[in-house]
Amino acid sequence: MMYIRFLLLILSLVCTKLCAQTETISLNGEWTYKLDPDDKGIVEKWYNDEFTSALALPGSLNTNGIGEPVSLNTIWTGSQWNKAWYESDFYERYRSPENTKIVFWLTPEAYYVGSAWYQKKIVIPEKWKKKCIILNLERCHWKTDLWIDGAKIGTRNSLSVPHCYELTDVGPGEHIITLCVDNRIGEIQPGVDAHSVSDNTQSNWNGIIGEIELYARPKANVVDVRIEPLIAKRSIKTEVCLNVKGGANVNGVLKLRVKSLFGDEKTLKTVEKDVRLNKGANQLDIEYDMDESFELWDEFNPFLYELSVILDTKYGRDELKETFGLRELGTEGTQITVNGRPVFFRGTLECCIFPKTGFPPTEEVEWSRIMKICKSYGLNHIRFHSWCPPEAAFNAADKLGMYLYVECGSWADDIGSGKAIDEFIMEESERIVREYGNHPSFCLLSYGNEPRGEKHVEYLRNFVKHWKGRDNRFLYTTASGWPAVDESDWHCLPAPRIQGWNQGLKSIINSKRPNSLYDWTHKISKKKPTISHEIGQWCVYPDLKERSAYTGVFKAKNFDIFEDRLRDNGLLNLADSFLLASGKLQTLCYKADIEAALRTKDFAGFQLLDLHDFPGQGTALVGVLNPFWESKGYVTPQEYSEFCNQVVPLARLLKFIYNVGDTLIADVEVAQFSPSDLQLPATWEILDLRGNQVSSGSFGATKMLTGKLNSIGQIREVLNVTEPSRLQLVLSVGKYKNRWNLWVYPSESVDEEDVLVATSFNEEVIEKLSQGGKVLLSPRLGTMKNEGTDSVAVGFSSIFWNTLWTNGQAPHTLGILCDEAHPALELFPTSYHSDYQWWDAMSYCNAIPLHKLNNVKPIVRIIDDWFTARSLGLIVEMKVGGGSLILCGADLVSDIENRPEARQLMNSMLHYMNGNLFKPVQQVTVRQLRELFK
């Protein structure tokens, strides 16, 4: 059997798992250490020395404040893509040796890359004589070498599983453990941006975390058990790996017992088997009948069992306990099934972002907190981008019913070319599956992220073929992003999303008038399930208040830089407003992304990048939560889960902007992925701005099949209002609701009266102003200067990822901020932030550089990229000589017949200008205005 083929490799790498009745000695606490930046330790035989400097483990050099100060010359593990911080005059003050502030990612208090030696005296008790003694190091970063009393024990090289060493021939008494940990990327190159090693996220830390302990086992022991649910037979297949360190031909009794971990914790029958074991590795395959208690595990019913494997021999009793669940993964056309039922993977990435420690938690309570937050936002799935989490994450996910996608620690530059990374990935995948494979939450596996290399397709095709023939408990794909090969069980592809890399202003959300008709039917595989790769990436303005939360090894000094930008441009007082306004736009963009996925028939799911912020790669503030998984204050879990949930009502709308008398036509669907079919009333209502019902209707009790996009019916409603209105369409299916804002405007135009409406700054405009007249200047797109430091690409959507990392991909803006009560907007119903009625203005927009106009306070402000934090206007009123001017950066004149929101914005401003309230006081000269135009 293939399993036995890898047994010796597994034994040599991880030795054995910790057992229920194992005697343990914790090695937590004070250790001594010595840094080895020049690699002298091996040559000078430091393993024979005694170190004097102390630190605390579990932990890292960073958590102990050990390392060099960050400087311009720090050699990071992570690529920058943009050299502005190193070369730009603006960043010169942040390259100061006295106070270096990094803009690419968080700044550690201290930094060290290289070998570090750790040492501790241990005492082996007399009762451990003639036992197998194991040193268990739960998570090391990265490569370790171990000596006991100066004698080399071995080397371990895993980023994902414990480093375990068997201490052969170590008898009772005092001994010295010396461990060398090297966090450099050497021959094995997973990629400097791989989240298993990168400073972009967890940091390239050096140390040991989690359990650090010695434990003793009988010389005949249970090394491992692989548990495979056999759903059709209502049983489990166990592959029990036993190891004998004593003499050959040892007789013993092997017992298997299962206990349910929910409800009354019922203990099932014991299966007993006489065994005769050879020296070394032994494997026994035993089927265990689960018919006495058969409960399936999934996101709705995370039912768990515990298997005890007990071995009694002349060396004593050894017991191994493993938690497992009964679940079966499969595919049905282009959907993934769990226990035969189609599911929709609503996921986020976890990119190893833990700013207080710089490394992932190994405590279940913290992972439970994170996963409960994810579930509160409607998610059921987490992808671990180019890394594998510790055991605690799987334990928490098992109990909460969270589907996990694990990668083998790599985002490599050249995979499949015969380099050391190729063998490492295969061995690391073996280690990961062996260590965590019994967890029912562990569902999906691949090599890693976005592979590169001339032969990467062939290598990854073989990777998938190997694993599909090796273990049927998981579903496999090549990698996240690409390539899509026939051998994969499912694909993870970037095409199904509303903004892709380098799409800029040509993306759906920026180039198509707002609607909710589109889906990804034409972008997903017709043969395999597709989960969309890293959707969203919508930015929000930095929350400067967040800096106080950085009480650990990292400081958000990049936020100091952003604060300085705001202060330099006189905008610091608007920081909180920018956060909230851009956050509302960000949420709207995520709603559009997620609903498009849910509208796609037979789609397998999506993975957000991200529900929480990604602090690296230029500072990617893409989360509605901060890096600590805490709210930023502009969207609640309840609001978010209206459009991201197991059941989501959906409306296909041709448009969100209407003229009075237009007919609203909405095809109503329900994405239904609850545990079973539903028979619920589906209702709709249209509300006005004050929450009063304008109209309503019902489709009656409707059957909605689980695992499907269900068509419910169509709404047709004539929209008649007496004034410009913002309405809201609300769909309800039982307790589930979803809603969309609509705008209805009269088709008439307001009389210009004595206001001159102009599309260029010409002599007629100057003459009108010189006579004390009123001018509404709405220049055509592209007629204003847009160059140098004032160059800005305006779009409707939020910024994608961030402009530093993407080298300036458009848009460069984060929506609008306005005083919604300003009389100029009285006939243009709006909140303080962007919504779909602003799409038109932002799409026809010349940004107004307010520094050229004495920094006048705008009626409507455009929120600029935080890297430049320029003061930009969309609508500005000012005094010019004796006249009064509103300069609107948006072209409100061209093709006005097809742009009802442009007509209405013009109406609203003319209504204001014709009244008594239009009395601008901020003075601007004709010369200053001329400077704005080509």
Side-chain angles (χ1 to χ4, degrees):
M1 181 176 290
M2 193 171 288
Y3 182 76
I4 202 73
R5 236 186 265 172
F6 293 91
L7 209 48
L8 295 177
L9 170 65
I10 290 169
L11 286 172
S12 68
L13 293 174
V14 294
C15 299
T16 184
K17 285 190 176 183
L18 184 61
C19 294
Q21 296 182 351
T22 302
E23 302 169 75
T24 64
I25 297 174
S26 173
L27 301 184
N28 293 357
E30 184 178 290
W31 288 57
T32 54
Y33 78 96
K34 190 174 182 180
L35 301 185
D36 188 11
D38 300 319
D39 282 326
K40 297 178 180 178
I42 299 292
V43 175
E44 297 179 358
K45 301 181 180 180
W46 287 9
Y47 44 80
N48 289 324
D49 297 342
E50 289 195 19
F51 308 151
T52 56
S53 299
L55 84 174
L57 296 178
S60 67
L61 296 178
N62 299 66
T63 58
N64 284 277
I66 298 167
E68 295 297 320
V70 169
S71 73
L72 177 64
N73 299 317
T74 297
I75 300 175
W76 299 99
T77 304
S79 55
Q80 285 86 38
W81 284 45
N82 185 312
K83 298 298 182 183
W85 185 84
Y86 291 97
E87 299 171 355
S88 162
D89 290 341
F90 170 78
Y91 288 110
E92 182 177 3
R93 53 179 156 165
Y94 306 111
R95 301 192 290 263
S96 162
E98 293 76 26
N99 190 19
T100 305
K101 295 181 179 181
I102 304 299
V103 75
F104 308 109
W105 41 65
L106 301 173
T107 303
E109 297 281 50
Y111 194 80
Y112 179 81
V113 174
S115 294
W117 294 67
Y118 302 84
Q119 196 173 78
K120 191 173 183 69
K121 290 182 179 179
I122 62 170
V123 177
I124 303 296
E126 184 66 30
K127 63 181 178 179
W128 283 13
K129 190 175 183 179
K130 297 184 179 179
K131 290 195 173 187
C132 294
I133 301 172
I134 309 298
L135 173 63
N136 177 49
L137 309 171
E138 182 174 354
R139 181 144 300 197
C140 303
H141 204 270
W142 176 11
K143 175 176 170 287
T144 62
D145 293 275
L146 178 70
W147 290 262
I148 303 292
D149 301 329
K152 181 72 177 285
I153 300 298
T155 299
R156 300 289 181 265
N157 200 358
S158 173
L159 287 161
S160 306
V161 304
H163 290 202
C164 291
Y165 292 89
E166 184 173 351
L167 308 188
T168 308
D169 301 324
V170 175
E174 186 175 274
H175 302 275
I176 296 180
I177 292 176
T178 304
L179 188 75
C180 181
V181 180
D182 191 347
N183 63 335
R184 288 171 296 187
I185 293 179
E187 183 184 14
I188 299 169
Q189 298 191 24
V192 294
D193 294 319
H195 302 337
S196 55
V197 298
S198 182
D199 287 313
N200 280 293
T201 57
Q202 63 172 319
S203 80
N204 186 12
W205 57 281
N206 187 307
I208 313 161
I209 60 172
E211 294 176 344
I212 306 176
E213 59 192 357
L214 295 167
Y215 58 88
R217 308 281 302 280
K219 288 194 173 182
N221 54 60
V222 186
V223 176
D224 186 31
V225 58
R226 177 185 178 275
I227 304 170
E228 178 185 340
L230 304 175
I231 303 300
K233 299 177 70 174
R234 297 173 69 89
S235 65
I236 57 172
K237 176 185 176 182
T238 67
E239 297 176 359
V240 181
C241 177
L242 306 172
N243 191 38
V244 178
K245 287 292 184 180
N249 302 323
V250 175
N251 294 322
V253 176
L254 185 68
K255 299 176 184 178
L256 272 64
R257 183 183 300 127
V258 171
K259 180 176 73 172
S260 63
L261 297 181
F262 279 11
D264 57 3
E265 297 193 356
K266 178 181 178 181
T267 299
L268 283 61
K269 62 182 178 295
T270 299
V271 172
E272 188 171 310
K273 184 180 180 67
D274 293 330
V275 294
R276 186 169 180 80
L277 305 176
N278 297 320
K279 184 176 182 179
N282 298 259
Q283 181 178 306
L284 296 172
D285 295 350
I286 303 172
E287 190 169 323
Y288 186 99
D289 185 0
M290 294 291 297
D291 195 57
E292 185 180 347
S293 171
F294 189 81
E295 287 279 349
L296 296 177
W297 180 98
D298 66 8
E299 62 186 285
F300 307 107
N301 183 49
F303 199 97
L304 297 173
Y305 296 91
E306 181 181 78
L307 171 67
S308 294
V309 182
I310 304 164
L311 177 64
D312 287 309
T313 68
K314 67 180 182 180
Y315 297 112
R317 167 166 287 197
D318 192 53
E319 181 177 1
L320 174 67
K321 292 187 177 182
E322 279 282 287
T323 300
F324 70 98
L326 299 172
R327 67 109 177 92
E328 183 177 54
L329 299 171
T331 62
E332 184 178 297
T334 58
Q335 291 181 282
I336 293 174
T337 61
V338 177
N339 305 326
R341 181 179 53 79
V343 300
F344 193 91
F345 280 70
R346 304 180 304 278
T348 184
L349 273 59
E350 210 312 303
C351 297
C352 209
I353 298 163
F354 302 100
K356 291 190 177 181
T357 59
F359 49 71
T362 55
E363 302 79 24
E364 189 176 323
V365 64
E366 177 60 10
W367 284 107
S368 293
R369 182 186 76 88
I370 290 169
M371 291 179 188
K372 286 177 182 176
I373 291 170
C374 289
K375 289 181 81 74
S376 75
Y377 282 81
L379 303 180
N380 62 0
H381 166 52
I382 296 176
R383 171 196 163 203
F384 293 92
H385 180 312
S386 59
W387 76 293
C388 175
E391 182 87 19
F394 293 95
N395 289 336
D398 289 347
K399 294 173 183 176
L400 292 170
M402 186 70 75
Y403 304 128
L404 303 186
Y405 169 22
V406 175
E407 298 178 356
C408 299
S410 187
W411 184 0
D413 293 324
D414 191 5
I415 193 77
S417 299
K419 297 178 181 178
I421 185 62
D422 291 355
E423 184 177 358
F424 175 81
I425 290 299
M426 293 307 301
E427 292 180 352
E428 191 78 338
S429 65
E430 295 287 346
R431 291 187 282 255
I432 288 169
V433 170
R434 183 262 172 192
E435 187 70 22
Y436 311 118
N438 291 328
H439 290 281
S441 59
F442 184 176
C443 296
L444 309 176
L445 177 67
S446 78
Y447 131 86
N449 185 62
E450 297 175 359
R452 294 183 290 274
E454 290 185 7
K455 299 180 180 179
H456 77 272
V457 176
E458 179 184 356
Y459 173 88
L460 293 173
R461 179 180 284 116
N462 290 331
F463 174 90
V464 170
K465 288 168 64 176
H466 164 79
W467 274 109
K468 287 180 70 173
R470 170 111 163 76
D471 199 318
N472 63 5
R473 294 176 294 173
F474 318 104
L475 296 179
Y476 303 98
T477 194
T478 52
S480 289
W482 57 78
V485 302
D486 290 341
E487 286 80 2
S488 289
D489 292 314
W490 59 285
H491 301 316
C492 185
L493 303 176
R497 61 190 193 192
I498 62 175
Q499 179 99 9
W501 185 267
N502 258 337
Q503 282 189 312
L505 301 181
K506 296 180 180 180
S507 64
I508 286 177
I509 196 167
N510 283 303
S511 67
K512 304 296 183 184
R513 298 194 71 84
N515 72 88
S516 59
L517 294 180
Y518 54 89
D519 61 43
W520 311 133
T521 303
H522 61 296
K523 292 190 175 184
I524 65 174
S525 169
K526 301 299 187 291
K527 299 178 181 179
K528 302 277 185 177
T530 301
I531 296 178
S532 54
H533 173 61
E534 298 182 358
I535 75 167
Q537 307 189 39
W538 301 116
C539 283
V540 67
Y541 214 82
D543 182 2
L544 301 181
K545 303 184 300 298
E546 182 186 301
R547 284 173 293 178
S548 62
Y550 290 87
T551 57
V553 300
F554 283 119
K555 297 296 181 287
K557 295 185 179 181
N558 46 346
F559 281 32
D560 294 346
I561 298 174
F562 308 147
E563 181 182 65
D564 289 345
R565 278 289 205 197
L566 285 167
R567 182 184 294 107
D568 292 348
N569 293 330
L571 300 175
L572 185 56
N573 64 308
L574 294 175
D576 288 344
S577 298
F578 286 171
L579 166 68
L580 295 177
S582 62
K584 291 294 187 181
L585 174 60
Q586 177 201 47
T587 303
L588 183 72
C589 293
Y590 276 115
K591 177 177 166 70
D593 243 328
I594 291 171
E595 287 184 352
L598 292 168
R599 287 193 300 268
T600 304
K601 186 175 182 292
D602 298 332
F603 195 25
F606 62 81
Q607 292 162 352
L608 297 172
L609 185 56
D610 189 343
L611 186 64
H612 73 322
D613 281 344
F614 185 106
Q617 293 184 1
T619 309
L621 305 174
V622 295
V624 300
L625 305 177
N626 68 26
F628 309 100
W629 295 92
E630 297 166 341
S631 172
K632 298 180 183 178
Y634 48 79
V635 63
T636 66
Q638 294 74 24
E639 291 167 335
Y640 198 95
S641 62
E642 284 191 347
F643 57 82
C644 179
N645 212 326
Q646 58 184 293
V647 178
V648 178
L650 298 165
R652 290 186 187 258
L653 293 158
L654 174 63
K655 55 187 178 180
F656 295 101
I657 317 297
Y658 298 84
N659 292 314
V660 170
D662 284 353
T663 300
L664 177 141
I665 302 174
D667 291 320
V668 178
E669 298 169 310
V670 175
Q672 210 282 83
F673 293 92
S674 72
S676 59
D677 296 346
L678 298 175
Q679 185 89 19
L680 292 171
T683 62
W684 62 270
E685 58 182 341
I686 296 177
L687 307 176
D688 66 17
L689 197 58
R690 293 172 289 278
N692 300 317
Q693 191 178 85
V694 175
S695 56
S696 64
S698 174
F699 298 101
T702 306
K703 186 172 184 179
M704 289 162 275
L705 300 178
T706 187
K708 300 293 181 183
L709 177 66
N710 294 264
S711 179
I712 304 301
Q714 189 179 78
I715 302 170
R716 297 182 71 92
E717 185 73 11
V718 176
L719 300 174
N720 282 316
V721 295
T722 58
E723 59 184 4
S725 301
R726 192 210 77 182
L727 305 177
Q728 190 173 79
L729 171 64
V730 181
L731 296 182
S732 301
V733 176
K735 66 180 181 180
Y736 301 99
K737 293 181 183 291
N738 201 1
R739 63 195 74 223
W740 298 264
N741 289 337
L742 313 171
W743 292 265
V744 186
Y745 303 134
S747 55
E748 305 83 21
S749 296
V750 169
D751 191 345
E752 297 176 10
E753 296 186 11
D754 62 345
V755 177
L756 171 63
V757 177
T759 59
S760 63
F761 189 67
N762 52 31
E763 293 305 316
E764 183 182 10
V765 169
I766 296 171
E767 178 66 20
K768 182 76 171 181
L769 291 170
S770 69
Q771 294 174 0
K774 301 175 183 179
V775 176
L776 174 55
L777 179 55
S778 177
R780 298 188 187 279
L781 181 63
T783 60
M784 296 182 69
K785 291 179 181 177
N786 189 27
E787 58 195 19
T789 57
D790 292 323
S791 176
V792 55
V794 179
F796 171 73
S797 78
S798 180
I799 290 169
F800 176 81
W801 198 236
N802 69 83
T803 57
L804 187 69
W805 181 262
T806 64
N807 289 317
Q809 287 186 27
H812 303 155
T813 54
L814 293 150
I816 63 108
L817 173 67
C818 70
D819 176 5
E820 56 196 293
H822 194 285
L825 303 174
E826 182 181 355
L827 301 185
F828 191 76
T830 185
S831 295
Y832 63 90
H833 53 82
S834 288
D835 207 331
Y836 282 130
Q837 88 276 34
W838 287 103
W839 181 93
D840 182 271
M842 295 295 278
S843 299
Y844 287 78
C845 180
N846 305 276
I848 303 169
L850 298 179
H851 74 93
K852 291 187 175 182
L853 300 176
N854 300 332
N855 286 313
V856 298
K857 182 180 179 181
I859 297 171
V860 180
R861 184 183 293 278
I862 296 175
I863 304 173
D864 187 35
D865 181 7
W866 61 86
F867 289 106
T868 46
R870 293 162 294 190
S871 186
L872 303 176
L874 176 59
I875 301 174
V876 187
E877 61 179 346
M878 61 201 86
K879 197 75 175 174
V880 184
S884 299
L885 170 72
I886 284 186
L887 172 59
C888 177
D891 174 1
L892 304 180
V893 178
S894 301
D895 193 25
I896 197 67
E897 298 81 9
N898 298 310
R899 298 169 57 204
E901 58 268 65
R903 182 188 66 240
Q904 191 58 37
L905 184 54
M906 174 81 80
N907 284 345
S908 188
M909 288 189 289
L910 288 173
H911 173 74
Y912 168 59
M913 296 176 77
N914 286 329
N916 297 325
L917 297 177
F918 180 47
K919 297 177 181 178
V921 295
Q922 294 171 289
Q923 193 76 36
V924 172
T925 66
V926 169
R927 181 176 180 180
Q928 287 173 314
L929 285 168
R930 283 191 189 278
E931 283 298 310
L932 298 178
F933 295 88
K934 293 181 179 179

